[in-house]
Amino acid sequence: AAHQHIRSRDASVPVSAVIATVDGKPWCVRADENGADRMLWLLSWLEGAEYARFRPHSLPLGSNIANAVARLDRALSDFSHPSLHRDLKWNLLRADWIGAHLHKIVDPARRAIVERALNRYLMLKPALIAQPLAVIHNDLNDYNLLVGRGHDGVSALTGIVDFGDMIEGPLVAEIAIAGAYLVLEHPAPEQALAAFVAAYHRVFPLSGTQLDLIWPLLLARLAVSVTNSAVMQRERPHDPYVVVSQVPAWQFLQRAHGIDEHLMSARLRAACG
């Protein structure tokens, strides 16, 4: 439903089209080889490589992605669906669930980093709860953004995929989540985040309060990610997917410890005028 809605509101947002079945439905149900029912659906092809595997991560590319994400969020502003209202561990309004699992992060230095991010999140949670709700993708990580090069050699966003974690949440969470994965392994993460937020703001204006929440929420999202990896690693020790973003996330969290939150907020405010 989200795919169809976005394309009806802004066809320039690079989201797959849903290919209807022969009887005009968006999906069908068929039995697999074991007799279990499976939902089948078909999406149109999107060219590109995952942002995580694409290089270079230039500032213009980050701005291009921000422009598309802002248009995506604007297209979703009048979307509704009953399945949006659900309990989800990736909802940043409920990120404090990680507090009960910090002991699963074995390294005490790493555990302390996550604890600091969690404590700051808890201090800011009342301001986050006060934010109006919006329909958001909620998982714009570096594997859900596809990037390619045009005939002119300029790199640009070519696809936004995986709407499985959509929720109704604060719009600022969308920006913080996308920003968190855009800065991973980036040679100039602070500059990249400022360029990304400024480009988003030009399409979908942000308030000063939202700008001040972005950096701590970015760290909270990465704290949730590494804690979830620690939990899942115990449950599925041989599944490489559960730690797919763990190494760059830890590297960034360790580096971010030395970045002043108030200076970062000032930088984002200045970038947005």
Side-chain angles (χ1 to χ4, degrees), residues 5-213:
H5 184 89
I6 293 161
R7 290 176 64 84
S8 73
R9 292 295 185 270
D10 186 348
S12 72
V13 178
V15 172
S16 290
V18 178
I19 310 300
T21 64
V22 290
D23 54 356
K25 296 180 180 178
W27 70 84
C28 61
V29 178
R30 293 291 184 272
D32 66 15
E33 67 274 17
N34 299 315
D37 283 345
R38 300 286 184 175
M39 286 181 64
L40 305 178
W41 66 320
L42 183 63
L43 299 175
S44 61
W45 179 262
L46 294 171
E47 290 287 350
E50 300 100 321
Y51 180 83
R53 305 180 196 276
F54 187 90
R55 292 297 184 275
H57 288 169
S58 67
L59 296 182
L61 174 58
S63 296
N64 176 270
I65 292 172
N67 180 282
V69 171
R71 286 185 285 112
L72 168 75
D73 290 337
R74 192 170 60 188
L76 287 170
S77 62
D78 63 342
F79 177 70
S80 62
H81 196 281
S83 294
L84 288 167
H85 310 288
R86 59 202 173 131
D87 189 21
L88 194 68
K89 65 183 175 183
W90 298 108
N91 185 347
L92 271 179
L93 284 173
R94 301 173 184 173
D96 38 9
W97 70 264
I98 67 174
H101 298 275
L102 293 182
H103 64 282
K104 295 175 183 174
I105 301 172
V106 178
D107 186 315
R110 287 184 165 185
R111 188 166 59 247
I113 289 172
V114 172
E115 196 166 13
R116 280 195 296 271
L118 173 60
N119 288 339
R120 184 62 183 137
Y121 166 83
L122 292 173
M123 290 175 65
L124 292 170
K125 191 173 180 181
L128 182 61
I129 292 173
Q131 287 289 306
L133 296 179
V135 177
I136 58 175
H137 179 286
N138 196 48
D139 194 21
L140 293 171
N141 68 52
D142 46 351
Y143 285 90
N144 288 340
L145 299 172
L146 303 181
V147 180
R149 287 190 176 88
H151 298 301
D152 56 1
V154 176
S155 55
L157 186 74
T158 58
I160 298 172
V161 302
D162 191 358
F163 285 73
D165 285 347
M166 284 186 74
I167 59 166
E168 201 174 48
L171 189 64
V172 67
E174 185 90 295
I175 303 155
I177 292 166
Y181 293 97
L182 283 168
V183 299
L184 294 187
E185 300 183 292
H186 200 287
E190 296 164 74
Q191 193 177 357
L193 181 64
F196 175 80
V197 172
Y200 186 102
H201 176 74
R202 285 193 290 271
V203 178
F204 210 156
L206 301 165
S207 69
T209 300
Q210 287 174 314
L211 292 172
D212 293 342
L213 285 168

